[in-house]
Short mmCIF file of all heavy atoms in Angstrom, two decimals:
data_model
loop_
_atom_site.label_atom_id
_atom_site.label_comp_id
_atom_site.label_asym_id
_atom_site.label_seq_id
_atom_site.Cartn_x
_atom_site.Cartn_y
_atom_site.Cartn_z
N TYR A 1 101.90 88.90 87.39
CA TYR A 1 102.82 89.98 87.55
C TYR A 1 102.51 90.65 88.94
O TYR A 1 101.37 91.11 89.20
CB TYR A 1 102.67 91.00 86.52
CG TYR A 1 103.22 90.59 85.14
CD1 TYR A 1 102.35 89.89 84.27
CD2 TYR A 1 104.53 90.87 84.78
CE1 TYR A 1 102.74 89.46 83.00
CE2 TYR A 1 104.91 90.39 83.47
CZ TYR A 1 104.02 89.71 82.58
OH TYR A 1 104.53 89.31 81.38
N TYR A 2 103.47 90.53 89.82
CA TYR A 2 103.36 91.27 91.10
C TYR A 2 103.80 92.68 91.13
O TYR A 2 104.58 93.09 90.23
CB TYR A 2 104.24 90.47 92.16
CG TYR A 2 103.68 88.96 92.37
CD1 TYR A 2 104.34 87.96 91.75
CD2 TYR A 2 102.59 88.74 93.12
CE1 TYR A 2 103.91 86.63 91.91
CE2 TYR A 2 102.10 87.48 93.43
CZ TYR A 2 102.81 86.31 92.70
OH TYR A 2 102.34 85.05 92.89
N THR A 3 103.36 93.40 92.06
CA THR A 3 103.60 94.80 92.09
C THR A 3 105.09 95.09 92.52
O THR A 3 105.60 96.07 92.18
CB THR A 3 102.65 95.49 93.09
OG1 THR A 3 102.83 94.92 94.44
CG2 THR A 3 101.21 95.51 92.63
N CYS A 4 105.67 94.05 93.23
CA CYS A 4 107.04 94.25 93.60
C CYS A 4 108.11 94.14 92.48
O CYS A 4 109.14 94.72 92.55
CB CYS A 4 107.36 93.35 94.80
SG CYS A 4 107.32 91.64 94.30
N CYS A 5 107.70 93.26 91.53
CA CYS A 5 108.74 92.79 90.62
C CYS A 5 108.18 93.02 89.11
O CYS A 5 106.99 92.63 88.92
CB CYS A 5 109.12 91.36 90.80
SG CYS A 5 109.68 91.12 92.50
N PRO A 6 108.91 93.42 88.22
CA PRO A 6 108.43 93.46 86.87
C PRO A 6 108.47 92.10 86.09
O PRO A 6 107.73 92.01 85.08
CB PRO A 6 109.41 94.41 86.20
CG PRO A 6 110.66 94.23 86.95
CD PRO A 6 110.31 94.02 88.33
N GLU A 7 109.15 91.12 86.65
CA GLU A 7 109.26 89.88 85.87
C GLU A 7 108.00 89.06 86.13
O GLU A 7 107.33 89.17 87.23
CB GLU A 7 110.39 89.03 86.45
CG GLU A 7 111.72 89.58 86.29
CD GLU A 7 112.09 90.59 87.41
OE1 GLU A 7 111.29 90.71 88.33
OE2 GLU A 7 113.18 91.32 87.37
N PRO A 8 107.67 88.26 85.12
CA PRO A 8 106.43 87.45 85.23
C PRO A 8 106.76 86.17 86.08
O PRO A 8 107.94 85.78 86.02
CB PRO A 8 106.07 87.07 83.85
CG PRO A 8 107.40 87.17 83.13
CD PRO A 8 108.14 88.19 83.77
N TYR A 9 105.77 85.62 86.82
CA TYR A 9 105.89 84.44 87.55
C TYR A 9 104.93 83.45 87.10
O TYR A 9 103.65 83.72 87.00
CB TYR A 9 105.74 84.70 89.09
CG TYR A 9 106.97 85.40 89.64
CD1 TYR A 9 107.06 86.79 89.62
CD2 TYR A 9 108.07 84.73 90.10
CE1 TYR A 9 108.07 87.47 90.19
CE2 TYR A 9 109.09 85.35 90.78
CZ TYR A 9 109.16 86.72 90.68
OH TYR A 9 110.24 87.34 91.20
N VAL A 10 105.43 82.28 86.68
CA VAL A 10 104.55 81.24 86.14
C VAL A 10 104.19 80.17 87.00
O VAL A 10 105.14 79.69 87.73
CB VAL A 10 105.22 80.68 84.82
CG1 VAL A 10 104.28 79.74 84.06
CG2 VAL A 10 105.52 81.90 83.87
N ASP A 11 102.99 79.80 87.07
CA ASP A 11 102.65 78.54 87.84
C ASP A 11 101.60 77.70 87.17
O ASP A 11 100.92 78.19 86.26
CB ASP A 11 102.06 79.10 89.28
CG ASP A 11 100.75 79.77 89.12
OD1 ASP A 11 99.70 78.98 88.96
OD2 ASP A 11 100.72 80.99 89.11
N ILE A 12 101.60 76.37 87.50
CA ILE A 12 100.61 75.54 86.95
C ILE A 12 99.71 75.10 88.06
O ILE A 12 100.13 74.70 89.15
CB ILE A 12 101.36 74.20 86.38
CG1 ILE A 12 102.31 74.62 85.33
CG2 ILE A 12 100.31 73.26 85.94
CD1 ILE A 12 101.67 75.20 84.11
N THR A 13 98.48 75.40 87.89
CA THR A 13 97.31 75.07 88.91
C THR A 13 96.42 73.99 88.44
O THR A 13 95.78 74.20 87.48
CB THR A 13 96.62 76.42 89.23
OG1 THR A 13 97.56 77.41 89.78
CG2 THR A 13 95.61 76.19 90.32
N PHE A 14 96.35 72.95 89.22
CA PHE A 14 95.43 71.86 88.92
C PHE A 14 94.31 71.98 89.98
O PHE A 14 94.51 72.26 91.12
CB PHE A 14 96.12 70.52 89.04
CG PHE A 14 97.01 70.21 87.85
CD1 PHE A 14 98.36 70.60 87.85
CD2 PHE A 14 96.49 69.54 86.81
CE1 PHE A 14 99.23 70.26 86.83
CE2 PHE A 14 97.33 69.32 85.71
CZ PHE A 14 98.65 69.58 85.75
N THR A 15 93.04 71.76 89.41
CA THR A 15 91.90 71.80 90.32
C THR A 15 91.24 70.42 90.36
O THR A 15 90.78 69.91 89.36
CB THR A 15 90.93 72.75 89.81
OG1 THR A 15 91.47 74.12 89.66
CG2 THR A 15 89.67 72.91 90.73
N LEU A 16 91.35 69.80 91.58
CA LEU A 16 90.70 68.51 91.81
C LEU A 16 89.24 68.73 92.10
O LEU A 16 88.87 69.28 93.20
CB LEU A 16 91.45 67.85 92.92
CG LEU A 16 90.94 66.38 93.23
CD1 LEU A 16 91.22 65.51 92.14
CD2 LEU A 16 91.66 65.90 94.53
N HIS A 17 88.39 68.28 91.21
CA HIS A 17 86.86 68.45 91.35
C HIS A 17 86.38 67.11 91.81
O HIS A 17 86.40 66.15 91.05
CB HIS A 17 86.21 68.88 90.11
CG HIS A 17 84.79 69.20 90.29
ND1 HIS A 17 83.92 69.48 89.09
CD2 HIS A 17 84.01 69.25 91.39
CE1 HIS A 17 82.75 69.68 89.60
NE2 HIS A 17 82.74 69.56 90.90
N ILE A 18 85.85 66.96 93.04
CA ILE A 18 85.34 65.72 93.59
C ILE A 18 83.92 66.01 94.17
O ILE A 18 83.55 67.12 94.51
CB ILE A 18 86.20 65.15 94.69
CG1 ILE A 18 86.50 66.20 95.77
CG2 ILE A 18 87.62 64.75 94.12
CD1 ILE A 18 87.35 65.80 96.96
N ARG A 19 83.14 64.94 94.19
CA ARG A 19 81.76 64.91 94.69
C ARG A 19 81.57 63.89 95.62
O ARG A 19 81.91 62.69 95.51
CB ARG A 19 80.82 64.77 93.48
CG ARG A 19 79.26 64.75 93.84
CD ARG A 19 78.42 64.78 92.65
NE ARG A 19 78.60 65.97 91.91
CZ ARG A 19 78.13 66.18 90.69
NH1 ARG A 19 77.45 65.22 90.02
NH2 ARG A 19 78.34 67.30 89.98
N ARG A 20 80.85 64.25 96.79
CA ARG A 20 80.74 63.37 97.81
C ARG A 20 79.69 62.27 97.54
O ARG A 20 78.58 62.66 97.02
CB ARG A 20 80.33 64.13 99.13
CG ARG A 20 80.41 63.21 100.33
CD ARG A 20 79.89 63.96 101.58
NE ARG A 20 80.49 65.21 101.77
CZ ARG A 20 81.60 65.38 102.53
NH1 ARG A 20 82.17 64.36 103.14
NH2 ARG A 20 82.18 66.56 102.69
N ARG A 21 79.91 60.97 97.96
CA ARG A 21 78.90 59.97 97.77
C ARG A 21 78.02 60.07 99.14
O ARG A 21 78.51 60.01 100.22
CB ARG A 21 79.53 58.62 97.65
CG ARG A 21 80.21 58.46 96.30
CD ARG A 21 80.81 56.98 96.19
NE ARG A 21 81.36 56.84 94.81
CZ ARG A 21 81.86 55.69 94.50
NH1 ARG A 21 81.83 54.62 95.35
NH2 ARG A 21 82.37 55.48 93.22
N THR A 22 76.70 60.10 98.92
CA THR A 22 75.78 60.34 100.00
C THR A 22 75.19 59.13 100.57
O THR A 22 74.37 59.22 101.55
CB THR A 22 74.66 61.33 99.55
OG1 THR A 22 73.97 60.71 98.49
CG2 THR A 22 75.26 62.63 99.11
N LEU A 23 75.48 57.95 100.12
CA LEU A 23 74.90 56.70 100.66
C LEU A 23 75.18 56.48 102.10
O LEU A 23 74.31 56.12 102.87
CB LEU A 23 75.33 55.55 99.80
CG LEU A 23 74.68 54.15 100.16
CD1 LEU A 23 73.16 54.26 99.87
CD2 LEU A 23 75.31 53.01 99.35
N TYR A 24 76.44 56.71 102.50
CA TYR A 24 76.91 56.47 103.98
C TYR A 24 76.11 57.44 104.81
O TYR A 24 75.58 57.17 105.82
CB TYR A 24 78.37 56.71 104.02
CG TYR A 24 78.90 56.72 105.45
CD1 TYR A 24 79.03 55.50 106.16
CD2 TYR A 24 79.12 57.90 106.05
CE1 TYR A 24 79.51 55.56 107.47
CE2 TYR A 24 79.62 57.95 107.35
CZ TYR A 24 79.75 56.76 108.05
OH TYR A 24 80.19 56.76 109.30
N TYR A 25 76.11 58.78 104.44
CA TYR A 25 75.48 59.82 105.19
C TYR A 25 73.97 59.66 105.23
O TYR A 25 73.32 60.04 106.24
CB TYR A 25 75.89 61.09 104.79
CG TYR A 25 77.36 61.42 104.94
CD1 TYR A 25 78.28 61.18 103.92
CD2 TYR A 25 77.84 61.88 106.10
CE1 TYR A 25 79.64 61.40 104.04
CE2 TYR A 25 79.25 62.07 106.33
CZ TYR A 25 80.03 61.90 105.22
OH TYR A 25 81.42 62.09 105.45
#
């Protein structure tokens, strides 16, 4: 809910969780 508008705004948020492989470094 934003302060400018009383209507709700819906979003879908995906979080890509990745881990670096350290062999090269």
Side-chain angles (χ1 to χ4, degrees):
Y1 289 89
Y2 295 99
T3 56
C4 64
C5 311
E7 298 85 3
Y9 287 86
V10 184
D11 67 79
I12 301 294
T13 301
F14 286 89
T15 303
L16 181 63
H17 186 188
I18 53 179
R19 177 173 296 169
R20 191 188 304 270
R21 294 183 174 183
T22 58
L23 185 62
Y24 171 81
Y25 296 94

